[in-house]
Amino acid sequence: MPGPLKSLVALLCCLVVVGCSGASEAPVAEPPAETPAVEVTQKAEPQPEDPTAASPGESVDPAALLEVVQSATEGVETATYEEKEEYTLDGVDLVVRKRDSVDLRDPDRPLMRHEPLNSFGNEMIFAGDQIYVNGKDGWELMDTGVKPKYDNAVFVLAAKALKDATEAVYIGQDEVGDFATRHYELKVDQFGFNPSWEPVEGDKITAGLWLNQDNVPVKLAHLHKSTAIKTDEIYHEYLVTTLDPVEISVPD
C-alpha cells in the first residue's frame, strides 16, 4: 500500500477509535425521578337538610317545607287545576266544581281562563288588565278598573297553609292523577287568607298536602266549617290536572 494511502487509513482508524471512546465515556442521562402521586380530596360542601326526607309518621319542619315548595314553584309558568267544594245544605248534598288554567309565560300579558264546571257563573278570560265574560250575548269586555292578580291558586294556598301550619307530618307516598307524590298532613291554626274557615273539631284545621317529585304542590284538601255557609262541614279540594302548557284563546 502506498505510503500516503497507509497514512490516510491510519488517520481514519484513529478517528473511529476516538469517536467510539468518546461515546462510551459520555455521561448517561439519569431517568427522571418519578413524582409521587398526590391524592387530592375535595372538601364536600355541607348540604342543607332535606325536609322531605322523612319516614311515614315523622314530623317535618313546616317552615323548611315552605322554602322547598316556594323554590319548586318559582319557575312553573303553566298549570290547570280544579277546585271542588262538597257539603250538605238544608238536607241537600251539593258539589261545586270549577276549573282554572293559568299561563304566565308572557309577563307583559299573563293569561287565565276560569270555567264553572257544574255551578252557576260565567266563563271568564283574563288577559293582562282585560277581563272578558261569556254572557248570554257572547263574549263581552268588562271594565272593572281593577287589574287582576294572576297566580296558581294551588301554589299560593299551599304556601299559605304551610305558613300558618304549626305541625307537618309525612304520611307516605301516594298517586294523584298522573303524579307520583309525597303526602303530608298539616295542622293549621287558621287559614289567614280566609278567616271564615274554622275547624270542624278541635282547635286546628287538618289539611292534606301532596307534592310531586319536583316538590310542586299538586293537591291540597281540608275539611272545615264556614261562617259564610250554614253547614256542619265543607270538604275543600284543589287538584292540579296538568302542568303542561295551556292554550287560552282571547276573544276578539
Side-chain angles (χ1 to χ4, degrees), residues 149-201:
K149 182 179 180 181
Y150 298 86
D151 51 37
N152 185 316
V154 183
F155 302 166
V156 174
L157 297 178
K160 289 181 177 179
L162 284 167
K163 185 177 180 181
D164 293 338
T166 56
E167 182 184 357
V169 175
Y170 175 56
I171 303 301
Q173 296 183 350
D174 199 359
E175 296 289 329
V176 175
D178 295 330
F179 300 104
T181 70
R182 295 183 308 281
H183 177 196
Y184 298 86
E185 187 176 273
L186 312 178
K187 297 293 185 181
V188 183
D189 282 335
Q190 185 183 58
F191 284 89
F193 56 88
N194 196 333
S196 70
W197 291 352
E198 299 175 346
V200 173
E201 295 179 355

Side-chain angles (χ1 to χ4, degrees), residues 19-33:
C20 293
S21 174
S24 62
E25 294 177 2
V28 178
E30 293 284 339

Side-chain angles (χ1 to χ4, degrees), residues 72-143:
T73 57
E74 215 169 78
V76 180
E77 296 179 319
T78 63
T80 299
Y81 59 92
E82 295 184 6
E83 178 183 356
K84 178 172 69 174
E85 284 183 321
E86 296 181 354
Y87 56 92
T88 301
L89 184 62
D90 297 331
V92 179
D93 294 333
L94 299 174
V95 179
V96 180
R97 296 175 58 239
K98 313 166 190 175
R99 179 190 295 127
D100 287 330
S101 300
V102 180
D103 185 351
L104 308 178
R105 288 174 291 182
D106 183 355
D108 296 327
R109 200 187 191 206
L111 302 172
M112 182 168 69
R113 180 174 61 231
H114 171 74
E115 303 170 85
L117 297 179
N118 69 336
S119 58
F120 296 106
N122 298 93
E123 182 180 3
M124 304 175 69
I125 290 180
F126 303 81
D129 58 357
Q130 297 175 321
I131 303 177
Y132 297 85
V133 178
N134 193 3
K136 62 179 182 179
D137 297 324
W139 287 100
E140 296 181 29
L141 177 60
M142 306 296 293
D143 182 10

